[in-house]
Amino acid sequence: MKRVVFGAVLATILAVPAFAADQFLNILTGGTSGVYYPLGNALSSIYGKALPGARVTVQATKASVENLNLLQMGRGELAFTLGDSLTQAWDGVEEAGYKAPLKKLRTMAAIYPNYIQIVATADSGIKTLADLKGKRVSVGAPKSGTELNARAIFKAAGLAYSDMKVQYLPFGESVELMKNKQLDATLQSAGLGVSSLRDLATGDDIVIVAISPEVIAKTGDSAYIASVVPANTYRGQTVDVPTAAVRNFLVTHEGVPAELVYGMTKAMFTNMPDLLAAHSAAREIDPAHAAKSPIPLHPGAEKYYREAGLLK
């Protein structure tokens, strides 16, 4: 089905409209060991070729929450974010890191899902969520999308941060501490095969902790869906592991010109092989779902989806 949709998308190729020379395009990503960063760099390369006059930069950040706040302030033109973070930003959920509703935000595309991957070293003795009690657990940078996922999943499982020795660390640093036996487990919300966890599994035996559909239902948030980490995603992982997933989005803001967002949207979907080469998570970007968003679409993106037959 996806091949048919991609074919329809490719068949709609039109000339990308011109826009003002020296148009700045700052892409807000995440930590360098996550998935947002390599995909952001791939988009930078695509846009550098497809959008004449655009001055494209890529910025490593603390990901979702920081990205959305920066967009609201006009300090970026495109950003990666988790879907639950996007909804909370639009609603202005203060405990999630938003002081007021971020109503300037506009969606460009729904992209691949993040898988909430709780990974422990085999010698930690951790096999279930309950086994995390009393253990040293990293939950991502404070108020990052990953950390908000951690709060939601642990609460649904009947766990509190006070039950664990919580550390707020990015993916790469978490893995280094696990290698040195200074950390027992890490929760990483990312695409499948994220480089940090592949790195850990290369030298250490790991356990992926299951998140059951029952726990997911108890989050009370429809952004969380039941999924699996397929067998052999990481070395030594021989069976499918149930987990939760949250869809990612590429988001812009209302101040970005419609012709630029149209060009960005079109260039991304007509250069998918470049994204696939950057990270395997891009395999799950489906144009058929790209226009589905919990907040308004940017008019430039909407124009592309209508021309491509993806939105009526």
Side-chain angles (χ1 to χ4, degrees):
M1 179 62 72
K2 289 186 182 180
R3 290 181 180 175
V4 174
V5 175
F6 274 121
V9 170
L10 290 169
T12 66
I13 297 178
L14 301 170
V16 175
F19 47 84
D22 294 330
Q23 169 70 55
F24 287 97
L25 172 48
N26 188 29
I27 302 172
L28 306 169
T29 58
T32 57
S33 57
V35 178
Y36 289 173
Y37 189 75
L39 288 182
N41 276 288
L43 284 175
S44 174
S45 179
I46 290 169
Y47 294 157
K49 298 173 183 176
L51 305 176
R55 298 177 62 179
V56 190
T57 56
V58 177
Q59 182 176 340
T61 68
K62 295 178 182 178
S64 298
V65 178
E66 181 181 11
N67 289 352
L68 297 176
N69 280 312
L70 287 171
L71 280 181
Q72 179 75 12
M73 293 185 287
R75 293 171 59 187
E77 285 67 47
L78 186 66
F80 289 80
T81 183
L82 281 163
D84 56 335
S85 296
L86 179 57
T87 301
Q88 291 164 341
W90 187 256
D91 294 337
V93 179
E94 188 169 0
E95 65 180 13
Y98 309 104
K99 295 181 180 179
L102 306 189
K103 296 299 186 181
K104 294 182 181 179
L105 301 180
R106 298 291 185 270
T107 298
M108 188 183 97
I111 50 175
Y112 68 93
N114 257 26
Y115 293 79
I116 299 173
Q117 300 163 82
I118 303 175
V119 177
T121 53
D123 58 10
S124 69
I126 297 170
K127 295 182 179 179
T128 69
L129 285 167
D131 293 336
L132 294 171
K133 288 186 176 181
K135 300 295 186 178
R136 302 165 296 180
V137 183
S138 173
V139 295
K143 296 293 178 69
S144 63
T146 290
E147 199 258 317
L148 296 179
N149 290 167
R151 288 181 183 273
I153 293 298
F154 290 156
K155 181 179 180 181
L159 294 169
Y161 278 3
S162 57
D163 295 323
M164 300 166 274
K165 299 171 184 175
V166 168
Q167 297 189 43
Y168 300 88
L169 302 169
F171 295 176
E173 189 172 344
S174 298
V175 163
E176 289 306 312
L177 289 180
M178 291 177 75
K179 289 179 180 179
N180 294 328
K181 312 302 181 186
Q182 295 174 285
L183 192 68
D184 300 305
T186 178
L187 183 148
Q188 302 196 1
S189 182
L192 293 174
V194 60
S195 61
S196 54
L197 296 180
R198 283 193 286 109
D199 178 33
L200 176 63
T202 297
D204 291 83
D205 292 333
I206 64 169
V207 173
I208 300 177
V209 179
I211 303 173
S212 71
E214 291 74 23
V215 167
I216 295 167
K218 288 179 181 178
T219 65
D221 188 337
S222 61
Y224 293 87
I225 57 176
S227 190
V228 298
V229 179
N232 302 311
T233 298
Y234 302 102
R235 186 193 69 83
Q237 178 215 344
T238 57
V239 297
D240 292 351
V241 180
T243 194
V246 181
R247 189 161 294 280
N248 286 286
F249 290 83
L250 280 167
V251 181
T252 182
H253 63 78
E254 63 182 12
V256 180
E259 61 269 27
L260 177 57
V261 177
Y262 171 83
M264 289 193 296
T265 311
K266 179 176 180 177
M268 182 179 80
F269 284 113
T270 54
N271 289 278
M272 285 301 299
D274 292 348
L275 288 182
L276 290 168
H279 201 283
S280 59
R283 292 174 185 164
E284 298 190 68
I285 299 176
D286 186 349
H289 299 294
K292 298 177 181 178
S293 171
I295 72 167
L297 280 171
H298 192 287
E302 182 178 346
K303 177 185 177 182
Y304 173 74
Y305 294 131
R306 292 191 186 282
E307 287 186 357
L310 300 170
L311 187 64
K312 296 181 179 180

